[in-house]
Amino acid sequence: MSELLQVVDVVKHFPVRGKLPFLAKTVHALDGITFSLAPNRSIGIVGESGSGKTTLARCIMKLERPNSGDVMLGGRSIYRRSGTKQLRKRVQMVFQDPGGSLNPRFSAERILKESLLHLGVSKRRESGSLVRKLLDQVGIRQSDMKKLPHQFSGGQQQRIAIARALAPNPDILVLDEPTSALDLSLQAQIITLLISLRRRLGLTYLLITHDLSVVRQLCDELQVIYLGKPVEFGSTASVLSNPRHPYSKALIRSILRPDPKTRDDQPPLQGEIPSPINPPSGCRFHPRCPDCMATCKREESSPHSVGDVTVWCHLFKDEMLSIKTNSNIAQHTKEVDDG
């Protein structure tokens, strides 16, 4: 199967100017992210706040240009295209804050019409029927199409944002924390809607999130990143059921269990994510890693294939190393599934 989207060794640094030239610093937002996405598949990008997830989404949307590396859509670099309109027709984004992403002065109908007309998807006389179709797809009543964004609930605002993203019939939807601003009941509704749209329209999703329960429901593959670096990549089922990297294990343990009486005998992850202005040497996770070795402080790990998963960790440098499944993690995952 040919790849629809390819992210190739993307590096993005942001300069931070000081009052004096020698005080200038650099934020290492992304340092070598690589993955590919096939049509009708879905990939989740997970990590703590500050790990570079949103910067990656902005690079894919051509809102930021990486310092090196490339993003290819259908085998062609998006940065070598003459304009962004053709990219916007094929790749659309749903933002984290639905209220902030909608024009407060436009009705739901006008928001969708503006998108249709700006991208040249339809002529003005045809836009009305397309708007009604889009609203119907996301579960918004046509009688509410004249309302302004503030007259809708948070879940309805996100449905309108999704409808706007669907307007040009894109190949890929980039979902940047699409449920984090909603309460639990609305989160479930939006997830159900996204699953239904993917099945009916054959969409391809790139999901940016820190919520692994959302990844489990929406994504076929999972890329875990830490401080701008990849740490583990593989099928969602494999990574969540048997995480290899110590950071992935810590993320799995952070999922709330349905039964509060059960306890995990593993200590929680200690410390805060380091500053991307001054990232640690060697493996960037080593200051917080319970399995840190001397090599981890000196050298970055190369990618190692462990079954159907790729992991960037010195623990797997020796091919003869036996892989022990963390029984606590496995039991935790089962409890989350049962809940």
Side-chain angles (χ1 to χ4, degrees):
M1 182 182 295
S2 60
E3 305 298 343
L4 177 60
L5 178 72
Q6 293 174 296
V7 176
V8 184
D9 199 23
V10 168
V11 174
K12 180 60 182 177
H13 296 166
F14 294 97
V16 180
R17 296 180 179 179
K19 293 182 179 180
L20 298 174
F22 64 85
L23 295 177
K25 299 180 180 180
T26 300
V27 174
H28 298 255
L30 296 172
D31 272 314
I33 301 297
T34 298
F35 62 86
S36 58
L37 185 57
N40 303 323
R41 301 284 289 177
S42 178
I43 187 171
I45 310 295
V46 302
E48 293 172 282
S49 296
S51 59
K53 304 186 302 295
T54 298
T55 300
L56 176 60
R58 291 178 62 85
C59 288
I60 292 171
M61 293 300 301
K62 204 177 175 180
L63 298 174
E64 299 284 354
R65 191 180 185 96
N67 297 85
S68 63
D70 206 350
V71 177
M72 305 181 74
L73 181 64
R76 291 184 57 197
S77 171
I78 65 172
Y79 304 112
R80 296 192 181 97
R81 296 173 185 265
S82 57
T84 59
K85 183 171 288 189
Q86 291 302 316
L87 175 66
R88 295 291 180 266
K89 286 183 178 181
R90 299 190 63 186
V91 184
Q92 280 284 310
M93 189 167 182
V94 177
F95 295 91
Q96 179 175 356
D97 178 14
S101 68
L102 302 176
N103 191 321
R105 298 183 179 183
F106 286 5
S107 66
E109 178 185 29
R110 187 175 176 186
I111 288 171
L112 298 185
K113 280 188 176 181
E114 287 287 327
S115 180
L116 291 167
L117 297 174
H118 175 70
L119 293 175
V121 178
S122 71
K123 297 180 180 179
R124 188 171 297 276
R125 64 176 178 271
E126 302 168 345
S127 60
S129 61
L130 286 176
V131 166
R132 289 189 289 272
K133 180 181 178 181
L134 289 167
L135 291 175
D136 183 63
Q137 282 182 332
V138 299
I140 297 292
R141 295 178 300 181
Q142 294 182 18
S143 58
D144 293 334
M145 63 194 304
K146 300 294 184 182
K147 290 182 179 180
L148 297 174
H150 75 271
Q151 296 175 292
F152 293 98
S153 67
Q156 289 174 322
Q157 289 177 351
Q158 193 63 294
R159 289 174 184 268
I160 294 170
I162 293 171
R164 179 180 59 185
L166 294 176
N169 192 25
D171 297 318
I172 301 174
L173 282 189
V174 178
L175 308 170
D176 186 9
E177 303 274 11
T179 61
S180 64
L182 308 176
D183 61 40
L184 289 178
S185 62
L186 294 178
Q187 285 183 19
Q189 294 175 22
I190 295 300
I191 291 171
T192 301
L193 173 63
L194 290 171
I195 293 173
S196 174
L197 289 172
R198 183 186 172 193
R199 290 173 179 169
R200 287 189 284 125
L201 304 179
L203 293 170
T204 300
Y205 290 159
L206 189 146
L207 173 66
I208 306 292
T209 187
H210 64 273
D211 190 340
L212 294 176
S213 61
V214 176
V215 173
R216 189 189 305 279
Q217 299 178 72
L218 286 178
C219 298
D220 303 304
E221 295 177 305
L222 180 57
Q223 170 81 77
V224 183
I225 64 176
Y226 181 79
L227 206 61
K229 285 279 190 181
V231 298
E232 190 164 351
F233 177 81
S235 70
T236 300
S238 294
V239 175
L240 294 185
S241 64
N242 184 20
R244 275 78 170 184
H245 197 282
Y247 179 61
S248 302
K249 293 180 180 181
L251 289 181
I252 298 295
R253 286 200 298 270
S254 70
I255 302 176
L256 293 177
R257 299 187 180 194
D259 185 0
K261 295 180 181 179
T262 59
R263 294 180 180 271
D264 192 336
D265 59 2
Q266 296 293 322
L269 189 62
Q270 300 297 315
E272 299 292 334
I273 188 169
S275 170
I277 293 179
N278 186 27
S281 60
C283 173
R284 293 188 177 181
F285 185 60
H286 86 257
R288 306 172 69 191
C289 181
D291 302 315
C292 178
M293 302 178 293
T295 307
C296 304
K297 300 178 181 181
R298 300 191 306 267
E299 304 174 9
E300 294 183 2
S301 174
S302 302
H304 304 285
S305 294
V306 185
D308 61 345
V309 172
T310 301
V311 58
W312 287 257
C313 183
H314 290 293
L315 291 173
F316 301 94
K317 187 174 183 179
D318 185 354
E319 295 181 359
M320 300 304 294
L321 179 67
S322 61
I323 309 301
K324 296 182 179 180
T325 303
N326 187 319
S327 60
N328 292 320
I329 296 295
Q331 178 63 26
H332 184 185
T333 303
K334 182 179 184 301
E335 291 170 355
V336 172
D337 287 338
D338 293 343

